[in-house]
Amino acid sequence: MNTAGHSEAKAPRVLELTPFRGLRYDPDRVGSLAAVTSPPYDVVVRPDGLHHLQSADPHNIVRLILPEAATPEARNAQAAETLRRWRSEGVLTADPEPGLYVYEQRDGDGMLQRGIIGVLRVSDPDEQLVLPHEDVMPHIVADRADLMRATSANLEPLLLTYRGGDGEATVTAGLIERTAVQPPLLATTTEDGFHHRLWSVTDPCDLAGVQKELAGHQALIADGHHRWATYRRLRAEHPSPGPWDHGLVLLVDTARYPLRVRAIHRLLHQVPVADAVAALDGLFRVRRVQVPLSEAMDALAEAAAKGNAFLLAGDGAFHLVDRPDPELLAHTVPADRPAAWRTLDATVLHATLLDHVWRVPDAPAHIAYIHDTAATVEKAERDGGTAVLMHPVHEDLVRDLARQGVTMPRKSTSFGPKPASGLVLRALDL
């Protein structure tokens, strides 16, 4: 009888964070580290932001995470060839030994975020170790899976959060604080004003302490639901044990470093503002707001504190939408979920406005998801569509729903600051 195999099957499953040999840009081979970084692939506003990043440096990471070619197959082949060439030319080089990476982001407004980058064992939902809080779009998972297969790489880390010592000293927090006073592997300031620093931790005692402590925690996906779903798909496709059993993540203790939670806005390509507003007659209260964007968002926040509220834009003005008809909500919002889910703005937007009132399919030809508020308004005004601006939800509500196994409508939240793409990559052959 194979007792070793039997005991292994009974072993409890925990968060397993593993060191890896990071793949990083050689600063002597690129114009600057800032010029080769990018926001995560789904934050880049296309095509404007994509072309801006491409022109910043010929080696910008967007050429890997958002390659451009005539077909998906050609795009992925191009990314794989670009990665191979950059490695052979020494543009990207592997660190000499495996480590976990301490990563720091700081802005001029006092925001400080520090966390640990490593490769995390990919777990199944029933293990309740990594909690998603949003639904995913299958075509995006398929797209990211094709890119990861082609490149055999994790090109950018997911952002995961956990609750550490609630202000008390922990092993991981102590390591991060000690490391942050040492000279970093790299330091750069990106054009959004964020200062980034990265350190490698390779001491076996330090690594063991962090791994042991994190094993007792549960993580929430703050950013990267589609990439986590991609990790799970690729793990199922490949033999285990193997490199596809793990995926690149950044873990942040939000008890010590609270994240900002922002909304993700919608751009309705084929719905003019006048049509969107007219369809709401008798169903929601609509008020025209002739103020600058910042004041309009303040008005949205005030209205959202009292109930569901949205801000429509695209015709040179803002239209504050609130006070939905209770009977409308009763017959459009599914009743088989917790009250906290049924009253989410994102739930009402998708179940009531998009599906029932405006009848807009949730497909790329009809809806774009944009993180930047001003960019959403500008694109709506330029293209003749409707920007639907949202108010963010609180992290505690997100975590509470996730623990209940209830997912929010996709692209409901934007946690940040997000890790810059391009500072450290993971090649699966290292």
Side-chain angles (χ1 to χ4, degrees):
M1 179 178 179
N2 187 344
T3 55
H6 181 71
S7 63
E8 181 180 7
K10 295 293 184 181
R13 307 299 277 178
V14 297
L15 280 183
E16 296 176 14
L17 192 68
T18 305
F20 71 107
R21 290 180 64 197
L23 193 63
R24 297 188 295 110
Y25 282 101
D26 182 343
D28 296 330
R29 299 298 304 273
V30 297
S32 75
L33 288 175
V36 296
T37 64
S38 163
Y41 79 96
D42 59 337
V43 180
V44 177
V45 178
R46 289 173 268 188
D48 306 17
L50 180 59
H51 295 157
H52 171 72
L53 291 163
Q54 288 173 339
S55 63
D57 188 285
H59 299 107
N60 190 283
I61 190 71
V62 294
R63 298 183 186 276
L64 300 181
I65 62 175
L66 291 172
E68 286 198 300
T71 66
E73 294 76 16
R75 288 196 295 271
N76 296 326
Q78 181 185 95
E81 171 55 25
T82 299
L83 178 59
R84 184 205 63 76
R85 186 175 71 253
W86 288 357
R87 291 180 68 180
S88 67
E89 293 173 350
V91 173
L92 288 168
T93 59
D95 285 330
E97 56 184 320
L100 298 175
Y101 294 82
V102 172
Y103 176 47
E104 176 189 276
Q105 293 164 279
R106 185 191 299 266
D107 70 6
D109 298 325
M111 177 73 184
L112 174 64
Q113 177 175 291
R114 291 175 176 153
I116 298 282
I117 296 176
V119 291
L120 189 71
R121 181 182 68 84
V122 179
S123 56
D124 293 321
D126 60 7
E127 296 180 59
Q128 288 282 289
L129 293 173
V130 177
L131 303 175
H133 70 268
E134 290 182 355
D135 297 329
V136 297
M137 293 176 255
H139 72 279
I140 295 181
V141 176
D143 173 73
R144 291 294 102 183
D146 289 343
L147 178 63
M148 286 190 205
R149 278 192 215 95
T151 58
S152 290
N154 300 152
L155 300 171
E156 44 187 348
L158 289 71
L159 175 59
L160 304 183
T161 74
Y162 70 100
R163 301 292 294 181
D166 285 320
E168 299 177 8
T170 65
V171 171
T172 304
L175 172 65
I176 288 174
E177 300 306 319
R178 294 196 308 273
T179 303
V181 300
Q182 304 298 320
L185 282 178
L186 65 84
T188 191
T189 301
T190 45
E191 67 177 8
D192 58 4
F194 268 92
H195 310 287
H196 307 261
R197 296 197 295 169
L198 190 77
W199 298 261
S200 178
V201 177
T202 58
D203 179 84
C205 291
D206 288 335
L207 296 176
V210 170
Q211 289 173 300
K212 181 179 179 181
E213 184 172 82
L214 291 177
H217 286 282
Q218 186 181 55
L220 174 73
I221 302 176
D223 186 69
H225 284 81
H226 290 91
R227 282 167 284 164
W228 182 255
T230 299
Y231 290 168
R232 293 190 56 241
R233 173 179 292 193
L234 293 174
R235 183 199 59 174
E237 293 176 0
H238 292 84
S240 182
W244 297 98
D245 290 348
H246 294 78
L248 187 63
V249 305
L250 165 64
L251 271 165
V252 173
D253 176 3
T254 52
R256 185 167 290 264
Y257 299 107
L259 272 67
R260 293 171 177 160
V261 187
R262 295 191 168 118
I264 302 176
H265 309 297
R266 275 67 167 160
L267 175 62
L268 311 184
H269 296 301
Q270 301 177 29
V271 181
V273 176
D275 292 354
V277 169
L280 300 177
D281 186 37
L283 302 176
F284 285 75
R285 181 174 70 167
V286 182
R287 290 173 286 163
R288 188 178 179 92
V289 183
Q290 290 281 33
V291 296
L293 175 58
S294 61
E295 295 180 32
M297 293 303 290
D298 289 342
L300 173 61
E302 184 178 343
K306 303 172 185 175
N308 299 120
F310 312 92
L311 198 64
L312 308 187
D315 61 351
F318 298 103
H319 306 266
L320 185 59
V321 177
D322 64 357
R323 297 189 184 178
D325 175 25
E327 291 187 10
L328 173 68
L329 298 184
H331 80 263
T332 56
V333 175
D336 60 346
R337 308 285 182 89
W341 181 90
R342 297 198 306 272
T343 55
L344 288 169
D345 286 337
T347 298
V348 172
L349 172 63
H350 283 262
T352 303
L353 287 171
L354 294 177
D355 292 351
H356 182 79
V357 177
W358 293 329
R359 300 190 181 278
V360 175
D362 191 359
H366 296 272
I367 302 177
Y369 293 81
I370 304 177
H371 294 71
D372 185 87
T373 308
T376 311
V377 175
E378 290 165 7
K379 288 181 72 67
E381 292 179 344
R382 186 175 63 202
D383 302 341
T386 294
V388 183
L389 306 181
M390 310 280 288
H391 183 69
V393 298
H394 196 276
E395 179 187 355
D396 289 344
L397 173 59
V398 175
R399 190 180 299 275
D400 183 56
L401 286 172
R403 283 176 173 156
Q404 296 179 58
V406 178
T407 53
M408 300 163 67
R410 47 184 168 258
K411 300 295 182 182
S412 292
T413 58
S414 176
F415 284 87
K418 304 178 191 305
S421 298
L423 296 181
V424 60
L425 292 64
R426 177 200 176 211
L428 272 68
D429 61 354
L430 291 173

